[in-house]
Amino acid sequence: MKNLLTDIAGVRVGHAEDPKVGSGATAIIFDSPAIAAIDVRGGGPGTREDALLDLANTVERVDAIALSGGSAFGLDTGGGVQAWLAEQGRGHRVREALIPIVPGAILFDLLNGGDKAWGRFSPYRDLGYAAATAATSADFALGSAGAGFGATTATFKGGLGSASAVTPSGIKVAAIVAVNAVGSVTVGNGPWFWAAPFEVDGEFGGRGLPDKFTEDILRMRIKGGPAASARENTTIGAVVTNAVLTKPQAKRLAMIAHTGFARAIYPVHAPTDGDVLFAAATCETPIEPLVGLTELGTIAANVVARAIARGVYSATALPFPGAQAAWKDRFG
């Protein structure tokens, strides 16, 4: 186990960034189409193909998931991933037509100091293609990488994180999250992460929690303060398992796993967030549909919380004047 999304067999992850723009994209590629669903909790989401994932709709499996910066411009990322898949002969067949199915979500990173004057067309379609081309089943970068390259939070530089686990019944589950929250992933102004109770082997510093929660520690810290905008934030990600799930069960997994956002971000699911979590299943290992799915969701929520903390812990500050400091800039 690498403690990454690629611990799930048949899943590959690739990043692409544009340092000048201060943004990037991440492609999650499934070697075989995966059952997928989505759960949206934030008040300002930006998504692609979310209606397709509705339980009332026909298509059940997806070829990839695209995560990106760029706000609405970043929705072009899915087109780049789709183009790469088409070149590989991948997609949903409708007679002689082949259509790669690529849901996606975006976060807002347009005010982080990068050069966003890119001309007529944004760079995100090309970033999506490059991310898909780079996708690997091996290790991939965390922190200021891919969709988390330009991310920020209320207190420290945001980033992309991942984590994985095996349930007591032997099911694998892993998450990848790009953290650009309006709230804070750290407790107060200190080095502690809200996700500390779920930390494994010091994966985000091993600092635990403060001895006492004061009124100041529990005070709301949000990006932008009174001027916070619904277009400036969003945490997006995916939780993937090797369990055999139906589309409704994948939806339930996304709903339970979304609890991990609340375990790691304070406050969360705000009107000024666009929080989105996909759930996907590669359908290799059977699972008991009630207790087994509950157990899977419980572990998945912990994994999501860990991935969020790892994203901020691993981030590095952008090289722009006035750029937000990273956690390691202050706490080493």
Side-chain angles (χ1 to χ4, degrees), residues 102-126:
V102 186
I106 51 85
L107 56 81
F108 184 104
D109 58 5
L110 300 181
L111 299 176
N112 61 12
D115 180 5
K116 308 304 192 290
W118 47 61
R120 176 171 293 178
F121 298 111
S122 84
Y124 291 100
R125 185 176 66 175
D126 289 338

Side-chain angles (χ1 to χ4, degrees), residues 37-47 50 67 104-108 152-153 176-185 222-223 229-238 251 254-255 257-279 304 308:
I38 188 174
D39 188 42
V40 180
R41 300 283 176 98
T47 55
D50 59 316
L67 306 177
I106 51 85
L107 56 81
F108 184 104
T152 57
T153 74
I176 186 169
V177 185
V179 187
N180 189 59
V182 69
S184 175
V185 176
I222 59 173
K223 191 191 307 178
S229 165
R231 300 296 182 187
E232 295 180 21
N233 310 294
T234 296
T235 297
I236 55 176
K251 172 69 172 183
M255 293 170 67
H258 221 144
T259 307
F261 280 45
R263 294 174 181 172
I265 305 170
Y266 182 87
V268 71
H269 302 152
T272 50
D273 275 314
D275 300 335
V276 172
L277 186 65
F278 296 96
V304 167
I308 289 170

Side-chain angles (χ1 to χ4, degrees), residues 36-168:
I38 188 174
D39 188 42
V40 180
R41 300 283 176 98
T47 55
R48 166 192 164 106
E49 295 276 40
D50 59 316
L52 176 144
L53 298 178
D54 188 282
L55 302 187
N57 293 331
T58 303
V59 174
E60 294 189 335
R61 294 179 180 264
V62 305
D63 298 293
I65 294 172
L67 306 177
S68 180
S71 189
F73 296 104
L75 293 175
D76 288 346
T77 298
V81 177
Q82 190 177 50
W84 182 86
L85 286 163
E87 290 177 350
Q88 315 310 309
R90 292 283 308 277
H92 177 70
R93 184 167 292 280
V94 182
R95 295 196 298 274
E96 65 272 18
L98 198 61
I99 309 163
I101 305 299
V102 186
I106 51 85
L107 56 81
F108 184 104
D109 58 5
L110 300 181
L111 299 176
N112 61 12
D115 180 5
K116 308 304 192 290
W118 47 61
R120 176 171 293 178
F121 298 111
S122 84
Y124 291 100
R125 185 176 66 175
D126 289 338
L127 286 171
Y129 184 90
T133 302
T136 174
S137 59
D139 294 354
F140 56 88
L142 301 183
S144 299
F149 187 85
T152 57
T153 74
T155 52
F156 295 108
K157 174 73 174 66
L160 182 132
S162 189
S164 66
V166 181
T167 72

Side-chain angles (χ1 to χ4, degrees), residues 182-206:
V182 69
S184 175
V185 176
T186 54
V187 181
N189 293 316
W192 316 283
F193 287 90
W194 289 107
F198 310 100
E199 186 174 12
V200 176
D201 297 331
E203 62 193 336
F204 40 89

